[in-house]
Amino acid sequence: MSDTTHTAGSGPAAGASGRARILTGDTPTSTGLHLGHYVGSLENRLALQGSYDCYFLIANVHAFTTLAEKPAEIRANTVGIVKDWLAVGLDPERSTFVLQSEIPAIAELTFLFAMLLPFNKVMRNPTLKTEIEAKQLGDTYPFGFPMYAVGQCADILAFRPELVPVGEDQEAHIEMCRDVALKFNQMYCGVGNRVPAEEHARAGGLFPVPRAKIGRVARLPGLDGVNKMSKSLGNAIFLYDDAKTVQKKLNKITTGRQSPTEPGDVNNVLMKFVDAFIERGRAEEIKRRYAAGDNLGDGHVKQELGEAINALLEPMRQRRSRLEGPEGEAMVHEVIRRGVKKANAVAEETLFLAKKAMGLDFGRRTIG
Ligand code: TRP
């Protein structure tokens, strides 16, 4: 073991408050977040924001993997996502909003972590593969596209969180991130090969090996009932949609069912939405009657769904209305500025410790 090996046993990274950390994020490739994001991750963030030290990241550098020619779009989407977060109720007083492009430690850790991941393993990452297919990237994607999966490991580990609340589609990325943490701790912090993942931090590893926390609805289908909900597939209900738009979109769902007395398929897209957005007891009753062909029409179900979803979105609309105009824009920029400052303090510390463990501690810098 070299004398530069990190053995301080910093333990699970906890914020100034002593609370364990969470990190998760969104990529600003679309104008805003949709219901799939809500049930997949935002809901968990809201639930955890009181008891964890939370870091919410806007992966604006990653947005360039597919939108490099549209920087203005990425910029507008970035502001849109911050507005969505504020509208949903993520609270910048309690949580830290992290703008990826302003955190140099993330870029530096990406390069260092790239050495710990076999090239072929990155290229086989199922989340990347699915994305290449869904976005029809063929073999035209830039080098930076698979690179973002390595970058995501750095997004996460820069904050040394214990939990990463994400939708099911991100699981492969979290798995890769765990691989990086394990390898780093073993290679540079002297953690033994047999030490179980959850013991790494206690055994002197710099990085707690983070776990994914999958949302209540792992994969919400889009309105087409085939693909997952996604802006690029045009099958999404956005958090910023008004009440009429929500109902109009729901009304377009097709199930192939002919009449309210025809026994319905309780696994169809409409029923998945019922499960996701209508209170448990009532949802069970709807499904029972639907399956039995007990005079419950698709139109009626869509109406009830519309009411439930609009009730969920209404408080968000109210909060969002306060973010309009130049004042709202200024508020968003202020939130970003403050978040960047807090985030850099943490990420710089992690980078310093990582470099120290790697024998790269030749100087210490401060970012103000
Ligand atoms: N790739 C994620 C998505 O598109 C966004 C993301 C970037 C992220 N960095 C992250 C999520 C770190 C969790 C943790 O949804």
Side-chain angles (χ1 to χ4, degrees), residues 23-27 57 59 62 148 152 155-156 164 166 170 173:
L23 178 127
T24 186
D26 299 303
T27 311
L57 175 122
H62 293 186
Y148 103 72
Q152 185 153 339
D155 294 339
I156 297 169
V164 187
V166 283
Q170 296 292 306
H173 286 339

Side-chain angles (χ1 to χ4, degrees), residues 218-270:
R219 181 186 179 279
L220 186 72
L223 298 164
D224 56 10
V226 181
N227 300 292
K228 77 162 187 169
M229 188 172 280
S230 145
K231 133 103 200 238
S232 47
L233 299 170
N235 64 7
I237 293 178
F238 292 97
L239 302 182
Y240 60 64
D241 281 339
D242 62 31
K244 266 205 184 127
T245 307
V246 168
Q247 192 63 59
K248 244 170 56 197
K249 286 183 173 177
L250 287 171
N251 291 347
K252 278 198 298 208
I253 292 178
T254 52
T255 65
R257 189 162 172 257
Q258 302 296 338
S259 90
T261 50
E262 180 184 322
D265 172 8
V266 289
N267 291 313
N268 72 20
V269 52
L270 204 51

Side-chain angles (χ1 to χ4, degrees), residues 93-224:
E93 298 296 325
R94 289 192 283 170
S95 303
T96 305
F97 290 12
V98 186
L99 186 64
Q100 191 181 47
S101 59
E102 289 300 315
I103 315 297
I106 290 178
E108 290 172 65
L109 287 170
T110 301
F111 210 119
L112 299 175
F113 291 161
M115 314 304 169
L116 303 182
L117 284 165
F119 178 79
N120 288 311
K121 196 161 180 177
V122 177
M123 299 314 286
R124 279 197 303 264
N125 176 309
T127 298
L128 290 184
K129 284 195 160 174
T130 310
E131 245 176 304
I132 289 168
E133 269 165 41
K135 296 180 181 167
Q136 300 184 342
L137 303 179
D139 56 4
T140 64
Y141 53 81
F143 188 83
F145 179 76
M147 177 85 163
Y148 103 72
V150 183
Q152 185 153 339
C153 301
D155 294 339
I156 297 169
L157 295 179
F159 296 90
R160 287 176 284 155
E162 288 185 2
L163 276 188
V164 187
V166 283
E168 190 180 52
D169 62 310
Q170 296 292 306
E171 245 179 331
H173 286 339
I174 312 308
E175 206 44 50
M176 242 176 63
C177 175
R178 289 170 60 85
D179 285 347
V180 169
L182 291 166
K183 200 141 174 201
F184 188 100
N185 291 339
Q186 288 163 353
M187 215 176 249
Y188 302 119
C189 309
V191 175
N193 286 342
R194 303 228 170 124
V195 176
E198 59 289 0
E199 298 288 331
H200 263 232
R202 230 168 302 156
L206 172 58
F207 297 109
V209 184
R211 284 175 295 123
K213 184 171 171 66
I214 307 298
R216 176 172 60 91
V217 181
R219 181 186 179 279
L220 186 72
L223 298 164
D224 56 10

Side-chain angles (χ1 to χ4, degrees), residues 280-295:
R280 184 70 165 269
R282 177 62 186 151
E284 291 306 321
E285 188 186 344
I286 290 175
K287 283 196 292 184
R288 189 175 45 70
R289 286 187 54 196
Y290 197 79
D294 182 12
N295 207 21

